[in-house]
Amino acid sequence: MRRSSFFLPTLRENPTEAQIVSHTLMLRAGMIRQSSAGIYSWLPMGHRVLKKIEQIVREEQDRAGAQELLMPTIQPGELWRESGRYDDYGKEMLRIVDRHDRELLYGPTNEEMITEIFRGSVRSYKDLPLNLYHIQWKFRDEIRPRFGVMRGREFLMKDAYSFDLDKDGARKSYLDMFVAYLRTFARMGVRAVPVRADSGAIGGDMSHEFHILADTGESEVYYDAAFDGYSLEQMANADLALVEELEGLYAAADEKHDPDNCPVESDQLQHRKGIEVGQIFYFGTYYSDPLAATVANQDGESVPVEMGSYGIGVSRLVGGLIEVSHDDKGIIWPDPVAPFNVALINIRPADDKCAAAADDLYIQLQNAGLDVLYDDREERPGVKFAEADLIGLPWQIIIGPRGVENGVVEVKRRATGETEELTPDAALNKVSAT
Ligand code: P5A
């Protein structure tokens, strides 16, 4: 993509409405535009990151055996009356009345709807286990939407729902998702700590939240320092054995932590702020009972299906990743979620030789399968460098007249600031290797 034609409305100044760094940087880097409180448009730069995150989530859900579908954002109120949640959900649910005076709502989550789909088509234990997920916008009329996309009213969630014949099967489905979550977050280049949690409005008796550790997090978590000993690579390759190991370590959300009965020595206990990027629930027959979602078991008896649900805050993750990966100049995207791999900066576009060299490398980088943002604008070099640091692409390749004379370009790694002069071919190899 040529920068001269890319829609990237960056801001020079820090916007006054932003209280935390990720919100400031997302606005300044032209990623999002607020539409109303807690509701955002995703501009091309932000949209690219959202899609990258979505894709990693999708790959790990698919790997775990979940199947993707797509349910609507608008749901019938009737279904929520059946489960008993229509009144219980309170003011967080956006209720809508259609022209026939029918009650509709903008879905805050989809337990009821998936249970309805299930009961309409599955009759036998032979069709189990089953796990269905979608990546769809949700609406929760939060009292205090804040911190940009971190606590929005409209937000993108991956939500999966598992169906099993019995508790053992349901536990296996739960642990499979646990594995998928460890892998998913680690693949994005961040550590997420799984902690025992309350199940809140979703219901049920087993739940874990996954937290990215950051001072701006809205939650508090307690965990055994042994967690810090696990590498990202171990997490990215997690399996059931690793989950079992981690489950043996103490880690709890604030509401689950009892200082008087904590099994971890105080010098070993970590107390940190966390951003909740995912939560998983086992709730058995909490929905299948009232909604009469049953299957015939091996003896031909009709039994309510055992369920769990599994959420990831896809849009929240965009902000969460920036919270843990930035410096005073701007964002530092981890490679796997970066909107482009490379910022190719021509500091003298008016110079024919520079333009020819930059055009040529632009084509070669793209041929190597890399996403490139090619700054071909007539702007001062300082403006281009500042923007490249702000938007945080992992690599910068700088082309100027002196280098072109000597047959070299400058390659800079955004995360470390390290630079080196390389031939265009060597530069291509270097950035392709990540
Ligand atoms: C699990 C999937 C559920 O809703 N039902 C379906 C269950 N869980 S949850 O914990 O309430 O939400 C899942 C994840 O969504 C993100 N999230 C939000 N992101 C941005 N703004 C919000 N207002 C918001 N609310 C929830 C969180 O990452 C949460 O873990």
Side-chain angles (χ1 to χ4, degrees), residues 75-92:
Q75 306 187 20
E78 219 176 298
L79 199 51
W80 286 64
R81 289 200 182 282
E82 259 190 82
S83 74
R85 278 210 292 184
Y86 190 74
D87 293 322
D88 291 355
Y89 217 93
K91 291 199 164 174
E92 272 198 13

PDB file of all heavy atoms in Angstrom, residues 75-92:
ATOM      1  N   GLN A  75     -31.485 -10.328  18.365  1.00  0.00           N
ATOM      2  CA  GLN A  75     -32.101 -11.566  18.859  1.00  0.00           C
ATOM      3  C   GLN A  75     -33.541 -11.306  19.323  1.00  0.00           C
ATOM      4  O   GLN A  75     -33.852 -10.205  19.755  1.00  0.00           O
ATOM      5  CB  GLN A  75     -31.289 -12.107  20.048  1.00  0.00           C
ATOM      6  CG  GLN A  75     -29.803 -12.294  19.760  1.00  0.00           C
ATOM      7  CD  GLN A  75     -29.073 -12.986  20.899  1.00  0.00           C
ATOM      8  OE1 GLN A  75     -29.673 -13.645  21.737  1.00  0.00           O
ATOM      9  NE2 GLN A  75     -27.756 -12.821  20.923  1.00  0.00           N
ATOM     10  N   PRO A  76     -34.388 -12.349  19.282  1.00  0.00           N
ATOM     11  CA  PRO A  76     -35.754 -12.187  19.779  1.00  0.00           C
ATOM     12  C   PRO A  76     -35.801 -12.177  21.310  1.00  0.00           C
ATOM     13  O   PRO A  76     -35.177 -13.035  21.950  1.00  0.00           O
ATOM     14  CB  PRO A  76     -36.478 -13.422  19.231  1.00  0.00           C
ATOM     15  CG  PRO A  76     -35.417 -14.429  18.961  1.00  0.00           C
ATOM     16  CD  PRO A  76     -34.146 -13.679  18.701  1.00  0.00           C
ATOM     17  N   GLY A  77     -36.529 -11.250  21.908  1.00  0.00           N
ATOM     18  CA  GLY A  77     -36.659 -11.161  23.363  1.00  0.00           C
ATOM     19  C   GLY A  77     -37.241 -12.431  23.964  1.00  0.00           C
ATOM     20  O   GLY A  77     -36.842 -12.866  25.050  1.00  0.00           O
ATOM     21  N   GLU A  78     -38.170 -13.014  23.228  1.00  0.00           N
ATOM     22  CA  GLU A  78     -38.851 -14.251  23.628  1.00  0.00           C
ATOM     23  C   GLU A  78     -37.911 -15.332  24.152  1.00  0.00           C
ATOM     24  O   GLU A  78     -38.165 -15.968  25.171  1.00  0.00           O
ATOM     25  CB  GLU A  78     -39.470 -14.797  22.338  1.00  0.00           C
ATOM     26  CG  GLU A  78     -40.806 -15.406  22.344  1.00  0.00           C
ATOM     27  CD  GLU A  78     -41.128 -15.730  20.880  1.00  0.00           C
ATOM     28  OE1 GLU A  78     -41.191 -14.773  20.063  1.00  0.00           O
ATOM     29  OE2 GLU A  78     -41.224 -16.925  20.574  1.00  0.00           O
ATOM     30  N   LEU A  79     -36.811 -15.532  23.409  1.00  0.00           N
ATOM     31  CA  LEU A  79     -35.836 -16.561  23.754  1.00  0.00           C
ATOM     32  C   LEU A  79     -35.223 -16.293  25.131  1.00  0.00           C
ATOM     33  O   LEU A  79     -34.970 -17.210  25.911  1.00  0.00           O
ATOM     34  CB  LEU A  79     -34.762 -16.537  22.666  1.00  0.00           C
ATOM     35  CG  LEU A  79     -33.852 -17.718  22.458  1.00  0.00           C
ATOM     36  CD1 LEU A  79     -34.630 -19.007  22.315  1.00  0.00           C
ATOM     37  CD2 LEU A  79     -33.011 -17.463  21.190  1.00  0.00           C
ATOM     38  N   TRP A  80     -35.019 -15.032  25.422  1.00  0.00           N
ATOM     39  CA  TRP A  80     -34.421 -14.646  26.698  1.00  0.00           C
ATOM     40  C   TRP A  80     -35.451 -14.711  27.824  1.00  0.00           C
ATOM     41  O   TRP A  80     -35.095 -14.819  28.990  1.00  0.00           O
ATOM     42  CB  TRP A  80     -33.799 -13.250  26.600  1.00  0.00           C
ATOM     43  CG  TRP A  80     -32.519 -13.255  25.816  1.00  0.00           C
ATOM     44  CD1 TRP A  80     -32.369 -13.558  24.501  1.00  0.00           C
ATOM     45  CD2 TRP A  80     -31.203 -12.969  26.318  1.00  0.00           C
ATOM     46  NE1 TRP A  80     -31.047 -13.475  24.137  1.00  0.00           N
ATOM     47  CE2 TRP A  80     -30.305 -13.102  25.235  1.00  0.00           C
ATOM     48  CE3 TRP A  80     -30.700 -12.598  27.561  1.00  0.00           C
ATOM     49  CZ2 TRP A  80     -28.938 -12.885  25.368  1.00  0.00           C
ATOM     50  CZ3 TRP A  80     -29.344 -12.374  27.694  1.00  0.00           C
ATOM     51  CH2 TRP A  80     -28.472 -12.531  26.600  1.00  0.00           C
ATOM     52  N   ARG A  81     -36.714 -14.641  27.459  1.00  0.00           N
ATOM     53  CA  ARG A  81     -37.748 -14.848  28.483  1.00  0.00           C
ATOM     54  C   ARG A  81     -37.767 -16.320  28.865  1.00  0.00           C
ATOM     55  O   ARG A  81     -37.948 -16.672  30.024  1.00  0.00           O
ATOM     56  CB  ARG A  81     -39.116 -14.416  27.964  1.00  0.00           C
ATOM     57  CG  ARG A  81     -39.250 -12.905  27.834  1.00  0.00           C
ATOM     58  CD  ARG A  81     -40.712 -12.472  27.790  1.00  0.00           C
ATOM     59  NE  ARG A  81     -40.824 -11.034  27.630  1.00  0.00           N
ATOM     60  CZ  ARG A  81     -40.649 -10.147  28.599  1.00  0.00           C
ATOM     61  NH1 ARG A  81     -40.352 -10.541  29.830  1.00  0.00           N
ATOM     62  NH2 ARG A  81     -40.753  -8.852  28.363  1.00  0.00           N
ATOM     63  N   GLU A  82     -37.535 -17.180  27.879  1.00  0.00           N
ATOM     64  CA  GLU A  82     -37.510 -18.624  28.148  1.00  0.00           C
ATOM     65  C   GLU A  82     -36.404 -19.009  29.119  1.00  0.00           C
ATOM     66  O   GLU A  82     -36.585 -19.854  29.973  1.00  0.00           O
ATOM     67  CB  GLU A  82     -37.276 -19.397  26.839  1.00  0.00           C
ATOM     68  CG  GLU A  82     -38.517 -19.996  26.227  1.00  0.00           C
ATOM     69  CD  GLU A  82     -38.145 -20.924  25.082  1.00  0.00           C
ATOM     70  OE1 GLU A  82     -37.797 -22.087  25.329  1.00  0.00           O
ATOM     71  OE2 GLU A  82     -38.190 -20.464  23.924  1.00  0.00           O
ATOM     72  N   SER A  83     -35.224 -18.399  28.960  1.00  0.00           N
ATOM     73  CA  SER A  83     -34.106 -18.743  29.859  1.00  0.00           C
ATOM     74  C   SER A  83     -34.225 -18.012  31.186  1.00  0.00           C
ATOM     75  O   SER A  83     -33.541 -18.351  32.141  1.00  0.00           O
ATOM     76  CB  SER A  83     -32.773 -18.389  29.210  1.00  0.00           C
ATOM     77  OG  SER A  83     -32.577 -16.986  29.213  1.00  0.00           O
ATOM     78  N   GLY A  84     -35.060 -16.993  31.236  1.00  0.00           N
ATOM     79  CA  GLY A  84     -35.218 -16.215  32.463  1.00  0.00           C
ATOM     80  C   GLY A  84     -34.273 -15.031  32.546  1.00  0.00           C
ATOM     81  O   GLY A  84     -34.242 -14.300  33.528  1.00  0.00           O
ATOM     82  N   ARG A  85     -33.465 -14.817  31.465  1.00  0.00           N
ATOM     83  CA  ARG A  85     -32.472 -13.735  31.555  1.00  0.00           C
ATOM     84  C   ARG A  85     -32.977 -12.395  31.021  1.00  0.00           C
ATOM     85  O   ARG A  85     -32.278 -11.388  31.134  1.00  0.00           O
ATOM     86  CB  ARG A  85     -31.179 -14.113  30.807  1.00  0.00           C
ATOM     87  CG  ARG A  85     -30.255 -14.998  31.625  1.00  0.00           C
ATOM     88  CD  ARG A  85     -28.784 -14.797  31.268  1.00  0.00           C
ATOM     89  NE  ARG A  85     -28.420 -15.257  29.926  1.00  0.00           N
ATOM     90  CZ  ARG A  85     -27.173 -15.233  29.459  1.00  0.00           C
ATOM     91  NH1 ARG A  85     -26.175 -14.759  30.199  1.00  0.00           N
ATOM     92  NH2 ARG A  85     -26.906 -15.649  28.240  1.00  0.00           N
ATOM     93  N   TYR A  86     -34.176 -12.384  30.394  1.00  0.00           N
ATOM     94  CA  TYR A  86     -34.629 -11.139  29.767  1.00  0.00           C
ATOM     95  C   TYR A  86     -34.718 -10.011  30.801  1.00  0.00           C
ATOM     96  O   TYR A  86     -34.236  -8.910  30.580  1.00  0.00           O
ATOM     97  CB  TYR A  86     -35.975 -11.321  29.070  1.00  0.00           C
ATOM     98  CG  TYR A  86     -36.356 -10.132  28.217  1.00  0.00           C
ATOM     99  CD1 TYR A  86     -35.718  -9.912  26.999  1.00  0.00           C
ATOM    100  CD2 TYR A  86     -37.321  -9.214  28.638  1.00  0.00           C
ATOM    101  CE1 TYR A  86     -36.032  -8.813  26.215  1.00  0.00           C
ATOM    102  CE2 TYR A  86     -37.639  -8.112  27.856  1.00  0.00           C
ATOM    103  CZ  TYR A  86     -36.992  -7.920  26.649  1.00  0.00           C
ATOM    104  OH  TYR A  86     -37.296  -6.827  25.878  1.00  0.00           O
ATOM    105  N   ASP A  87     -35.349 -10.317  31.940  1.00  0.00           N
ATOM    106  CA  ASP A  87     -35.452  -9.290  32.979  1.00  0.00           C
ATOM    107  C   ASP A  87     -34.172  -9.177  33.798  1.00  0.00           C
ATOM    108  O   ASP A  87     -33.741  -8.086  34.148  1.00  0.00           O
ATOM    109  CB  ASP A  87     -36.651  -9.581  33.882  1.00  0.00           C
ATOM    110  CG  ASP A  87     -37.946  -9.422  33.091  1.00  0.00           C
ATOM    111  OD1 ASP A  87     -38.013  -8.494  32.264  1.00  0.00           O
ATOM    112  OD2 ASP A  87     -38.864 -10.252  33.278  1.00  0.00           O
ATOM    113  N   ASP A  88     -33.532 -10.334  34.066  1.00  0.00           N
ATOM    114  CA  ASP A  88     -32.323 -10.329  34.907  1.00  0.00           C
ATOM    115  C   ASP A  88     -31.183  -9.501  34.318  1.00  0.00           C
ATOM    116  O   ASP A  88     -30.395  -8.932  35.053  1.00  0.00           O
ATOM    117  CB  ASP A  88     -31.780 -11.761  35.078  1.00  0.00           C
ATOM    118  CG  ASP A  88     -32.720 -12.593  35.942  1.00  0.00           C
ATOM    119  OD1 ASP A  88     -33.698 -12.013  36.454  1.00  0.00           O
ATOM    120  OD2 ASP A  88     -32.482 -13.811  36.074  1.00  0.00           O
ATOM    121  N   TYR A  89     -31.072  -9.459  33.009  1.00  0.00           N
ATOM    122  CA  TYR A  89     -29.890  -8.832  32.412  1.00  0.00           C
ATOM    123  C   TYR A  89     -29.839  -7.333  32.666  1.00  0.00           C
ATOM    124  O   TYR A  89     -28.779  -6.711  32.638  1.00  0.00           O
ATOM    125  CB  TYR A  89     -29.789  -9.148  30.908  1.00  0.00           C
ATOM    126  CG  TYR A  89     -28.347  -9.341  30.467  1.00  0.00           C
ATOM    127  CD1 TYR A  89     -27.782 -10.602  30.437  1.00  0.00           C
ATOM    128  CD2 TYR A  89     -27.559  -8.254  30.103  1.00  0.00           C
ATOM    129  CE1 TYR A  89     -26.459 -10.785  30.060  1.00  0.00           C
ATOM    130  CE2 TYR A  89     -26.231  -8.427  29.728  1.00  0.00           C
ATOM    131  CZ  TYR A  89     -25.690  -9.693  29.712  1.00  0.00           C
ATOM    132  OH  TYR A  89     -24.380  -9.857  29.343  1.00  0.00           O
ATOM    133  N   GLY A  90     -31.007  -6.744  32.914  1.00  0.00           N
ATOM    134  CA  GLY A  90     -31.044  -5.340  33.330  1.00  0.00           C
ATOM    135  C   GLY A  90     -30.715  -4.363  32.227  1.00  0.00           C
ATOM    136  O   GLY A  90     -30.874  -4.649  31.035  1.00  0.00           O
ATOM    137  N   LYS A  91     -30.198  -3.205  32.649  1.00  0.00           N
ATOM    138  CA  LYS A  91     -30.029  -2.086  31.718  1.00  0.00           C
ATOM    139  C   LYS A  91     -28.873  -2.255  30.754  1.00  0.00           C
ATOM    140  O   LYS A  91     -28.713  -1.467  29.824  1.00  0.00           O
ATOM    141  CB  LYS A  91     -29.825  -0.793  32.513  1.00  0.00           C
ATOM    142  CG  LYS A  91     -31.076  -0.371  33.244  1.00  0.00           C
ATOM    143  CD  LYS A  91     -31.009   1.094  33.612  1.00  0.00           C
ATOM    144  CE  LYS A  91     -32.412   1.571  33.970  1.00  0.00           C
ATOM    145  NZ  LYS A  91     -32.431   2.927  34.468  1.00  0.00           N
ATOM    146  N   GLU A  92     -28.028  -3.282  31.005  1.00  0.00           N
ATOM    147  CA  GLU A  92     -26.913  -3.478  30.075  1.00  0.00           C
ATOM    148  C   GLU A  92     -27.384  -3.994  28.724  1.00  0.00           C
ATOM    149  O   GLU A  92     -26.656  -3.940  27.745  1.00  0.00           O
ATOM    150  CB  GLU A  92     -25.898  -4.444  30.669  1.00  0.00           C
ATOM    151  CG  GLU A  92     -24.909  -3.694  31.495  1.00  0.00           C
ATOM    152  CD  GLU A  92     -23.636  -4.443  31.783  1.00  0.00           C
ATOM    153  OE1 GLU A  92     -23.355  -5.487  31.166  1.00  0.00           O
ATOM    154  OE2 GLU A  92     -22.923  -3.958  32.654  1.00  0.00           O
TER     155      GLU A  92
END
